[in-house]
Amino acid sequence: MFSLKNVLKIGLFLSLIGLIALLGVYLSLRSELPSVDSLKNIQWQTPMKIYSADGQLMNQFGEKKRLPLTLEEMPKQLINAILATEDDRFYMHFGVDPIGMTRAVLGQIMGKNKGGASTITMQVARNFFLSRDVTYIRKIREIFTAFHIESLLTKDEILALYMNKIPLGHRAFGFGAAAQVYYNKNVKDLSLAQIAVLAGLPKAPSTMNPISRPKRAIARRAIVLQRMLVTDYITREEFEQAINAPITAKKHGAEIELNAPYAAEMAHQKMVDRFGKEQAYTGGYKVFTTVTSKLQKSAEHAVISNLLAYDLRHGYRGPIKNLRPQQEKSDELAISETDPLNAVEITDALKNIESYQPLIPAVVTNINEQSIEVTFANNETAYIDWNGLSWAREYINDDKQGTSPELASEIVRYADIVYVIKNNEQYSLSQLPSASSALVSLSPDNGAIKAVIGGFSFKQSQFNRVTQAKRQVGSNIKPFVYSAALENNFTLATLVNDAPINQWDNSTGIVWRPKNSPPTYAGEVRVKRALAESKNVVAVRLFREVGLSKIIPHLASFGFAPDELPRDESLALGSASLTPLEVATGFATFANNGFLVEPYIIERIEDSFGNIVYQANPAIACDDCSHIENNTDLTANINPSSQATTDTTIIDPQGFSKELPLIKAERAISPQNAFLITQALNEAIWGADWSLSPGWQGTGFRGRKLNRRDIAGKTGTTNEAKDAWFSGFSRRLVTTSWIGFDDPSRNLGSSTRNTNLGDNQISGKEFGAKSAQPAWISFMKVALADLPTEPFVQPEKIVSVRIDKATGKLTKRTDKTSIFEYFTLESIPTEYVTKDNSQDIFNNKEEQDEIF
C-alpha cells in the first residue's frame, strides 16, 4: 500500500510532468497563436446605413447585421441570462474554468456529455481567432488564447466582446442586432421571456431559432430561465410568467423610415466605388445623402399618382388572373353559388400576388349592378362603388379604348384577382401601370439631389430611369438651341418665319417636312414667343442660322456629351437621347445664372465612431462667393426640419481636421443669356400680358396652378409621343419629370376621353404638358411651399425697352400692340416701328382664341 506521503510525491511528480508537457506544447504552438492586441481597438464589422439629409434611415447594406453596444447599454437581465447559461463562474476563473473542464473530461471518459468546457473567454478566442473544428490542437490553442485575452482585457471588456460578436441566426451578430431582427426592439425594451430566448441562441442559433424552430426555442428558453432561477437572478414569479409567455419572434429587417430605394441605391453604388464592396459593407459607415424626406415623399406621390392617372385614361387591361378560369360571364352567379371561394383559398391565392404600394391585391367576391365587393388576404372585405369602377373602359391599344361600361359585370368577373387602391377611405379598381416614369430634383446652386424617383416601384424594377434611361428629349432641347441663337446675334424680339419647311434630303431621297404641333403657323413670330409656344419650324430655322459647328459646342457647355449628340437638324427638335438627370442638370444652368454644377447625392460619410471621413465640397454657382459661408446653407430652407450638420470641417479617423476650400463652378453661359432664356421659359408658363388679360398661352400654362410667378419651364414630346417631358425651375430648385415606356416600340398614345385644349395639342393625345407636367406640378407645389418667392434677378448689361409686338421694333405706343422686352446693351433695337400694327395684333389674338 502507498502511504499518503508517496501519493503526494507521485501527484507532484505527475503535475510537474504535466506542466512541463504543457509548457512544451505552448512553446511549440506559440508562433502559431494569433495576436490578440487587436481586441484592444476592435472595429466591428457593421452594415452600411444610408440616411436622408434629415436623418431618416433609407436602407442598409451588408450581410452581417450588428448593432454594437457597450456593456452599460445591455440590460442587466440579459447579462445575467448569459452568465447563468454560458458561464456562471465567469468572474471567478482565469479564462479556463477548471471545474467545468474537469466535468467535461469526466463526461467524455464516462461516455456522457456533461458540457461546460468552453468559457465565455474561450468562446471569444474561438469566434475572433480560431475555427470551429473539433480537434485537440484547436482546443489547446483556444485555451492558450483565452489565457492571453484574460491577461490583456478586463472581464467586462471580454463580456462586451462576446455579446457583440456571437452569431445568433438570421445574419444577426450580437444581441443588439438580434433584438432588432427577432423583435424589432432595442435590447433595453425586451421582456424577460424574449431575453431568455436570445440567451439560448449561442448554443445552436439555427436549430433553436424561435422563427424556424419555435418548439425547440421554447425548450431552450425553459433551460435558460431555470438556470436564472437557481442562480437567484430571477424570482419564482418572474420565472412562471416568462416560461408561460408565447413565442413572439418574427423576422424584421432594418426599420426603414423613408422609402427611397432609388436614392439609396445611388448612394450605395457610390460607396462601393469609393471603398470597395467588402469595406463598404462591413465598415459601419453612416452615409448621409442630400435627399430630404419631405421632398422625397412628395416626389414619390407625384410620380405614382401621375402614372396611375395615365393608366386610368387608357383603359382597363383586365385582372391579374381568375380563380375560376372556366367560368363564362353568364354563369358567374351559378359559379359563385355552386363553387364559392372559401377564406383559405382566397388567402393562399393572394399570398403569391406581389403588392406594390399603393396597390393592394384582392379577389372579387360579389358583383352588383354598378358596384362590387372584394376580399383581401386577411379576409376583410371592401365595397367599390361606380365612382371607383366607371373609368375601366376596355384597353384595346395605346391609342384606343372601348366604350364606357354601364355595368360592373362588363368590367370584372367573380373570382378575379385585381389590384385596388384606397383614397380618402374609398376603394377603387386599379392596375399596375404599364408605362414608366422618373422624376429628379436638385439644387441649381451646388447640384445637391433633393429627390429622385426612378420608376413606379423599386420592387417591380430596379432600373433607375433617372440615371440609366437615355431617352429622346423632344422639345426639352429647344431652350439650349435658343440659347445658342442668343449667342449668335438673335434677340428675344427677333422675327423668325413660322412657316412650313420642305427640304429635299439627298442622303435619304425624301423630303424632310418638320411640322408644328398642332400644324398651325403664324408667319413672322418673335423668338421669345416661338420658344414659349414650342414652334418646331422656328427651332429648325434658328439651328440652320447658327450652324451645327456652333450648336454642338454650345450644348456641350451644359454638360451634354458632344459625341452623343446627333449631327443633323433633327437635333433642334430633340432627337438627342439624355437621362432625366442630365436634362435637369442642363436646366440648372438657366436657374443659377449660367453655371454648370455637378449633381451629387452623398453629403457626408461617418465611420462607426462618428468621425466624418468624407464631406462633400461641391462647386458652387456664384461669381462673388464672399457671402457664402457654407454651401449647405444655399438650399437649407427647402426643408427647415433638416437636422443634417452644416460643418465644413472633415475629421479623419486619426483625428486631424481641415477646412474645405470654397470651389466656384465653371461658367457655361453668360448671366445675360441665362436670364433671357429664363424669361422665355417663364412666358411658356404665364404667357404674354398675363397681368392684363388671359392672353395667349405657352405650352406649360398648367404650371399657373402653382400661383408662382418665379417659375419657368419647358414641355417636351418626341415623335409618335414615345416620351413626354417637363423640366422647370425656380431660382433654388430645378426638377425634371419624364414618362414613357421601357419598351421603345410603344408610345404614350391618346385617350378617347375628352380633354381640355390649351397646349397646342390634339384632343386626347398624350404630350409633355398632359403626361409629364402634372407630376412636376404636384411635386413643386410641396417643394416650393418652403421657398419664398424669389424673382430671377436682372443681371448687369440687361435692359428692358418697349417694343412693337408684331415687328419687334421700338415703339412709343402704350396699348396692347406693345410690350416691354429684355435685351443686352449690345442688342437693343435702334429702329422704331413706322406703321400701326394694332389690327395685325388683334387679328392674331382672334386666331389664338380659335386655337385655344
Side-chain angles (χ1 to χ4, degrees):
M1 292 183 62
F2 290 100
S3 65
L4 179 62
K5 185 177 180 180
N6 290 332
V7 170
L8 290 174
K9 286 181 178 180
I10 293 172
L12 287 173
F13 178 76
L14 292 175
S15 297
L16 181 61
I17 294 297
L19 288 174
I20 293 172
L22 194 62
L23 179 62
V25 173
Y26 172 75
L27 293 174
S28 66
L29 294 176
R30 184 173 56 179
S31 61
E32 301 177 25
L33 291 176
S35 170
V36 296
D37 292 341
S38 58
L39 294 178
K40 274 291 188 181
N41 298 295
I42 187 70
Q43 184 168 351
W44 295 109
Q45 292 186 359
T46 52
M48 171 177 61
K49 294 186 176 182
I50 311 290
Y51 294 90
S52 65
D54 45 327
Q56 294 194 16
L57 181 64
M58 292 158 51
N59 210 336
Q60 76 173 26
F61 297 87
E63 292 186 2
K64 292 185 177 180
K65 300 171 184 175
R66 181 181 277 116
L67 298 173
L69 300 172
T70 64
L71 203 61
E72 290 74 22
E73 293 173 313
M74 300 280 186
K76 187 64 176 176
Q77 276 193 327
L78 176 60
I79 294 173
N80 291 339
I82 294 299
L83 293 176
T85 308
E86 296 296 323
D87 192 351
D88 58 350
R89 286 179 293 276
F90 172 69
Y91 280 96
M92 294 182 286
H93 62 63
F94 46 87
V96 176
D97 183 4
I99 297 174
M101 187 70 72
T102 301
R103 185 172 62 240
V105 172
L106 292 175
Q108 290 290 333
I109 294 173
M110 299 172 62
K112 297 179 181 180
N113 184 7
K114 297 291 185 179
S118 290
T119 64
I120 285 176
T121 311
M122 292 168 68
Q123 291 184 60
V124 169
R126 181 168 63 244
N127 287 328
F128 276 95
F129 301 111
L130 305 171
S131 70
R132 289 185 172 270
D133 296 338
V134 184
T135 64
Y136 290 111
I137 294 298
R138 196 273 296 161
K139 197 67 177 179
I140 293 172
R141 287 197 182 101
E142 185 178 299
I143 292 171
F144 287 144
T145 306
F147 289 157
H148 197 169
I149 290 173
E150 289 274 346
S151 69
L152 186 70
L153 304 176
T154 67
K155 287 288 188 177
D156 284 352
E157 289 173 331
I158 295 170
L159 184 58
L161 288 173
Y162 172 82
M163 296 184 74
N164 282 303
K165 176 71 173 180
I166 194 75
L168 297 171
H170 289 286
R171 296 189 298 168
F173 290 78
F175 289 94
Q180 196 276 323
V181 168
Y182 291 107
Y183 300 108
N184 198 27
K185 288 183 177 181
N186 188 296
V187 286
K188 63 182 177 61
D189 298 322
L190 294 172
S191 68
L192 175 59
Q194 293 168 338
I195 283 174
V197 169
L198 297 187
L201 286 174
K203 182 176 181 180
S206 59
T207 60
M208 295 179 180
N209 195 284
I211 296 175
S212 55
R213 300 286 191 276
K215 290 183 179 179
R216 291 190 178 186
I218 289 175
R220 180 62 176 167
R221 180 183 68 179
I223 293 174
V224 174
L225 290 171
Q226 182 65 37
R227 291 181 179 174
M228 293 183 75
L229 180 64
V230 298
T231 50
D232 293 327
Y233 286 135
I234 59 175
T235 66
R236 170 61 64 175
E237 182 181 354
E238 290 174 320
F239 171 82
E240 294 293 343
Q241 184 178 359
I243 204 167
N244 292 313
I247 290 290
T248 58
K250 295 180 180 178
K251 187 174 181 180
H252 299 273
E255 191 171 354
I256 304 301
E257 299 169 298
L258 176 64
N259 182 40
Y262 291 103
E265 180 57 32
M266 289 172 66
H268 160 232
Q269 191 56 54
K270 295 286 185 184
M271 288 294 292
V272 171
D273 293 343
R274 175 179 288 271
F275 294 106
K277 192 170 184 179
E278 178 65 25
Q279 185 181 351
Y281 281 12
T282 62
Y285 295 110
K286 292 182 178 180
V287 184
F288 291 86
T289 67
T290 56
V291 170
T292 61
S293 58
K294 181 176 181 179
L295 269 59
Q296 182 65 28
K297 290 176 183 177
S298 175
E300 180 183 44
H301 172 76
V303 168
I304 289 176
S305 298
N306 189 52
L307 272 173
L308 291 174
Y310 168 85
D311 227 43
L312 181 147
R313 294 194 297 269
H314 287 261
Y316 182 54
R317 296 186 299 277
I320 301 169
K321 63 184 295 186
N322 188 279
L323 299 179
R324 298 289 185 269
Q326 286 76 34
Q327 73 183 66
E328 297 292 336
K329 285 191 176 183
S330 59
D331 296 330
E332 286 175 0
L333 182 58
I335 291 291
S336 64
E337 291 178 349
T338 61
D339 188 17
L341 296 165
N342 60 58
V344 174
E345 185 177 7
I346 291 173
T347 298
D348 289 345
L350 293 180
K351 279 181 180 178
N352 299 319
I353 303 300
E354 196 70 69
S355 62
Y356 305 95
Q357 184 68 22
L359 302 177
I360 310 168
V363 177
V364 177
T365 48
N366 192 21
I367 302 175
N368 303 311
E369 186 174 351
Q370 288 193 331
S371 65
I372 64 173
E373 187 177 279
V374 296
T375 302
F376 302 110
N378 61 2
N379 290 126
E380 292 183 0
T381 60
Y383 176 81
I384 301 179
D385 62 21
W386 194 238
N387 289 329
L389 293 171
S390 59
W391 68 269
R393 296 163 298 137
E394 180 188 3
Y395 169 84
I396 298 174
N397 56 48
D398 292 333
D399 291 294
K400 188 176 181 181
Q401 299 82 46
T403 58
S404 296
E406 296 181 358
L407 299 171
S409 58
E410 298 173 15
I411 303 170
V412 296
R413 297 184 300 167
Y414 178 76
D416 274 354
I417 297 181
V418 298
Y419 283 118
V420 301
I421 188 170
K422 187 178 183 181
N423 188 20
N424 296 326
E425 302 305 317
Q426 298 293 319
Y427 285 94
S428 298
L429 180 68
S430 191
Q431 60 189 355
L432 186 64
S434 57
S436 299
S437 186
L439 185 146
V440 60
S441 186
L442 55 86
S443 164
D445 290 305
N446 58 12
I449 296 175
K450 297 298 178 181
V452 54
I453 301 293
F456 178 80
S457 169
F458 192 76
K459 186 189 295 186
Q460 177 198 20
S461 170
Q462 297 181 18
F463 182 65
N464 189 347
R465 294 154 190 86
V466 165
T467 59
Q468 295 175 289
K470 284 187 174 288
R471 305 298 294 244
Q472 287 192 346
V473 295
S475 294
N476 255 204
I477 202 69
K478 289 177 183 175
F480 307 103
V481 173
Y482 278 67
S483 172
L486 295 185
E487 290 294 312
N488 288 273
N489 302 319
F490 284 84
T491 72
L492 295 183
T494 303
L495 295 180
V496 182
N497 189 16
D498 178 28
I501 293 176
N502 292 281
Q503 175 182 318
W504 178 260
D505 188 334
N506 289 325
S507 62
T508 61
I510 59 175
V511 175
W512 187 47
R513 296 188 177 94
K515 297 179 180 179
N516 288 339
S517 178
T520 58
Y521 303 88
E524 296 282 299
V525 63
R526 285 174 288 113
V527 163
K528 182 178 182 180
R529 181 163 173 177
L531 179 54
E533 289 193 85
S534 199
K535 296 285 189 178
N536 287 339
V537 295
V538 173
V540 173
R541 293 187 191 280
L542 290 175
F543 187 97
R544 289 178 175 179
E545 289 292 328
V546 175
L548 182 65
S549 62
K550 294 180 179 178
I551 289 284
I552 296 293
H554 190 80
L555 266 60
S557 67
F558 292 92
F560 307 145
D563 294 342
E564 297 179 10
L565 298 175
R567 302 282 167 157
D568 55 50
E569 293 178 354
S570 69
L571 176 58
L573 303 181
S575 61
S577 294
L578 303 170
T579 67
L581 184 58
E582 289 173 327
V583 173
T585 303
F587 273 86
T589 300
F590 298 127
N592 65 25
N593 299 317
F595 296 92
L596 179 63
V597 292
E598 183 176 350
Y600 72 101
I601 197 165
I602 295 180
E603 182 60 41
R604 76 181 188 277
I605 304 169
E606 296 180 2
D607 65 15
S608 58
F609 301 104
N611 297 320
I612 300 176
V613 297
Y614 168 81
Q615 174 72 56
N617 188 32
I620 304 172
C622 58
D623 278 322
D624 179 11
C625 303
S626 58
H627 65 289
I628 301 175
E629 296 182 1
N630 189 326
N631 62 50
T632 58
D633 293 335
L634 291 170
T635 52
N637 56 349
I638 290 179
N639 190 0
S641 64
S642 175
Q643 299 173 2
T645 63
T646 56
D647 189 7
T648 56
T649 302
I650 291 180
I651 304 173
D652 65 24
Q654 287 74 40
F656 298 100
S657 63
K658 58 182 179 181
E659 292 293 327
L660 297 175
L662 191 147
I663 305 172
K664 294 183 180 181
E666 293 184 7
R667 179 167 287 286
I669 56 175
S670 70
Q672 294 78 21
N673 186 297
F675 177 78
L676 294 174
I677 293 297
T678 296
Q679 292 304 305
L681 297 179
N682 175 266
E683 192 158 296
I685 293 176
W686 283 104
D689 302 327
W690 62 268
S691 61
L692 301 176
S693 65
W696 58 272
Q697 303 187 92
T699 58
F701 79 96
R702 286 176 170 86
R704 297 180 194 176
K705 295 177 183 177
L706 297 174
N707 197 29
R708 295 282 295 235
R709 302 178 187 180
D710 60 334
I711 55 175
K714 183 71 189 74
T715 56
T717 310
T718 62
N719 284 339
E720 300 178 0
K722 291 183 181 295
D723 301 274
W725 300 76
F726 190 86
S727 297
F729 54 91
S730 70
R731 174 60 189 87
R732 301 298 173 185
L733 200 67
V734 57
T735 303
T736 289
S737 169
W738 167 85
I739 186 172
F741 286 96
D742 291 332
D743 180 357
S745 67
R746 295 187 63 181
N747 61 65
L748 292 168
S750 62
S751 167
T752 55
R753 284 188 170 185
N754 291 330
T755 57
N756 294 324
L757 294 175
D759 38 13
N760 293 8
Q761 303 291 341
I762 300 171
S763 175
K765 289 290 185 182
E766 298 286 350
F767 42 88
K770 180 180 177 181
S771 306
Q773 191 181 17
W776 183 90
I777 293 171
S778 175
F779 170 76
M780 293 295 274
K781 182 178 180 180
V782 175
L784 294 178
D786 291 328
L787 290 173
T789 300
E790 186 176 359
F792 299 102
V793 178
Q794 181 177 332
E796 295 179 353
K797 300 181 181 180
I798 288 285
V799 295
S800 176
V801 299
R802 188 181 291 275
I803 63 168
D804 175 61
K805 285 183 178 180
T807 64
K809 297 178 180 179
L810 297 173
T811 182
K812 295 181 179 180
R813 297 179 67 97
T814 58
D815 55 22
K816 291 186 178 180
T817 66
S818 66
I819 58 169
F820 279 98
E821 189 55 271
Y822 290 103
F823 297 88
T824 62
L825 289 176
E826 298 82 8
S827 63
I828 300 173
T830 56
E831 184 179 354
Y832 278 87
V833 65
T834 56
K835 70 173 184 175
D836 182 0
N837 295 297
S838 59
Q839 192 59 44
D840 293 336
I841 297 294
F842 294 132
N843 286 341
N844 193 41
K845 175 64 171 62
E846 292 172 2
E847 177 186 335
Q848 291 298 323
D849 288 341
E850 290 178 3
I851 294 175
F852 296 110

